[in-house]
Amino acid sequence: MHQSDADSQAGLAGLSPKTCLIGLDWGTSSLRAYRMGAKGRVLEQREASCGIMQLQSAGDDAFEQAMDATCGDWLDEAPGVALIASGMIGSAQGWRETPYVECPVKVEQLSAALTRISTRRGHDLWLVPGVIQRGSLPELMRGEETQVFGLLAEADDEPLLIGLPGTHSKWVAVESGQLASFHTFMTGEVHAALLGHTILGKTLVANPEPFDAAAFERGLNVARSAEGGGLLSTIFSSRSLVLTGELKGAGQADYLSGLLIGYELLAMAKLYQPDPQQPIALVGSAVLCERYLRALRHCGYQRVSLAPQATAAGLWRVAIEAALIEPGQREGE
């Protein structure tokens, strides 16, 4: 029976499509849960504000209770379903620390290194490991590797540069279907900290508009120019321009965003030296990815695409490689 036929018959019977996998994207501040059917199709999605920072001091019971509260009914309805999680839940502050795998890494290596937790309700929860890039300045990731392999499930073997904007933005080079190298930029966290905890925020005015494109591009241009003495010097301009009347207080946040993202892209270009025709994919929240898309095009990169949230696809792919999903469930047979 084809998937569409099975789904339609289930609908006629008043039943939801069969659950083949429950995937958890469990980060610092939130938990996202995905109920997936055949072929990895997301049947239902939920989000709860129970990230590891809210739970880490309460012990294992708190993690299990948070999981039950978020998707316990799904587990009750599918007793034998596979359960897999990625993100900071596998960190030292999470439910169970999972060792990092070495970069470069293929999805098969990631899937072979899952850590198992036996839960009280009888389900095994499998944690996806993070990735470490060793060197004089080590790099670490937890969660982004799953997004990368979710995106690669639909990609060919062409070299690809992937940007993952966020609190700690990542840039990942993909070669021959493997995660070859990556670098971290604390752009989002620095932006929030500067406006929330330094004198720069004293001139900030709430903007009634969602985005000030002119202020953002002005920040990009300052970062790209030789003006000023580098990032630590030019960020003060987000205050001085407001005080001299050259920038409205309502545009300050977007100006500073453009400045910080501009410096991030300069560093990315130095690290990876991408050609203007280099394919670049952006994975993450639509609003933030649109901002990076604008910045990349402003800097001359022409082959930039926005990818949908790839976490669910990555969890599905890792679960397939780890043989957590029965062959008959993979294609809806």
Side-chain angles (χ1 to χ4, degrees):
M1 181 180 292
H2 295 293
Q3 178 188 349
S4 58
D5 296 336
D7 288 356
S8 62
Q9 286 197 15
L12 289 173
L15 302 173
S16 60
K18 182 177 181 180
T19 302
C20 299
L21 178 71
I22 293 175
L24 306 177
D25 174 18
W26 209 330
T28 303
S29 59
S30 65
L31 165 61
R32 295 180 180 87
Y34 306 92
R35 184 172 72 88
M36 288 178 267
K39 299 183 180 180
R41 183 164 67 91
V42 176
L43 305 174
E44 194 173 351
Q45 179 177 340
R46 295 173 181 170
E47 183 169 354
S49 56
C50 52
I52 67 162
M53 294 304 290
Q54 288 84 24
L55 304 173
Q56 63 172 329
S57 62
D60 285 4
D61 283 350
F63 291 109
E64 186 141 4
Q65 289 167 11
M67 184 180 69
D68 283 348
T70 305
C71 60
D73 57 330
W74 295 349
L75 294 168
D76 290 338
E77 293 168 4
V81 71
L83 182 62
I84 188 170
S86 65
M88 291 297 288
I89 190 64
S91 70
Q93 293 73 40
W95 195 338
R96 182 80 52 79
E97 186 172 8
T98 63
Y100 291 100
V101 295
E102 301 274 347
C103 183
V105 62
K106 297 181 178 180
V107 67
E108 294 86 354
Q109 296 167 296
L110 202 68
S111 299
L114 300 182
T115 294
R116 183 178 68 177
I117 296 176
S118 296
T119 67
R120 287 196 309 269
R121 61 165 56 243
H123 282 81
D124 285 334
L125 170 63
W126 297 90
L127 301 184
V128 180
V131 176
I132 184 169
Q133 179 175 279
R134 299 192 185 276
S136 58
L137 300 174
E139 288 280 357
L140 305 168
M141 65 165 61
R142 284 196 187 274
E144 293 91 352
E145 74 294 320
T146 304
Q147 292 180 299
V148 167
F149 286 114
L151 177 61
L152 294 184
E154 302 298 329
D156 54 29
D157 288 334
E158 182 181 19
L160 179 65
L161 189 59
I162 301 175
L164 300 108
T167 304
H168 298 165
S169 296
K170 304 283 186 184
W171 285 92
V172 177
V174 171
E175 299 173 4
S176 301
Q178 70 176 356
L179 196 161
S181 65
F182 64 98
H183 290 85
T184 305
F185 297 84
M186 293 179 62
T187 307
E189 186 165 8
V190 168
H191 182 266
L194 288 173
L195 292 179
H197 301 285
T198 74
I199 197 170
L200 298 183
K202 301 303 181 182
T203 47
L204 181 67
V205 176
N207 192 346
E209 300 298 325
F211 181 60
D212 188 331
F216 180 75
E217 291 184 5
R218 184 173 185 174
L220 288 173
N221 287 331
V222 170
R224 296 181 66 199
S225 72
E227 189 177 2
L231 174 61
L232 291 180
S233 171
T234 51
I235 55 176
F236 187 70
S237 64
S238 68
R239 174 176 170 83
S240 62
L241 287 171
V242 175
L243 292 175
T244 56
E246 299 173 62
L247 177 70
K248 293 180 179 179
Q252 183 180 0
D254 287 319
Y255 170 81
L256 183 59
S257 174
L259 195 65
L260 293 174
I261 291 174
Y263 278 109
E264 177 184 329
L265 296 186
L266 283 175
M268 178 275 290
K270 182 178 179 180
L271 289 166
Y272 293 106
Q273 301 181 344
D275 182 270
Q277 294 299 322
Q278 162 81 43
I280 298 176
L282 297 173
V283 181
S285 74
V287 172
L288 195 52
C289 282
E290 285 286 352
R291 187 169 293 229
Y292 273 73
L293 175 66
R294 178 186 289 268
L296 284 162
R297 288 180 175 169
H298 187 81
C299 294
Y301 298 103
Q302 300 173 22
R303 295 183 62 189
V304 185
S305 60
L306 297 180
Q309 291 279 10
T311 303
L315 290 168
W316 178 263
R317 188 177 181 195
V318 171
I320 290 287
E321 292 291 344
L324 299 182
I325 304 172
E326 296 177 6
Q329 295 180 333
R330 300 175 187 179
E331 301 299 327
E333 297 171 0

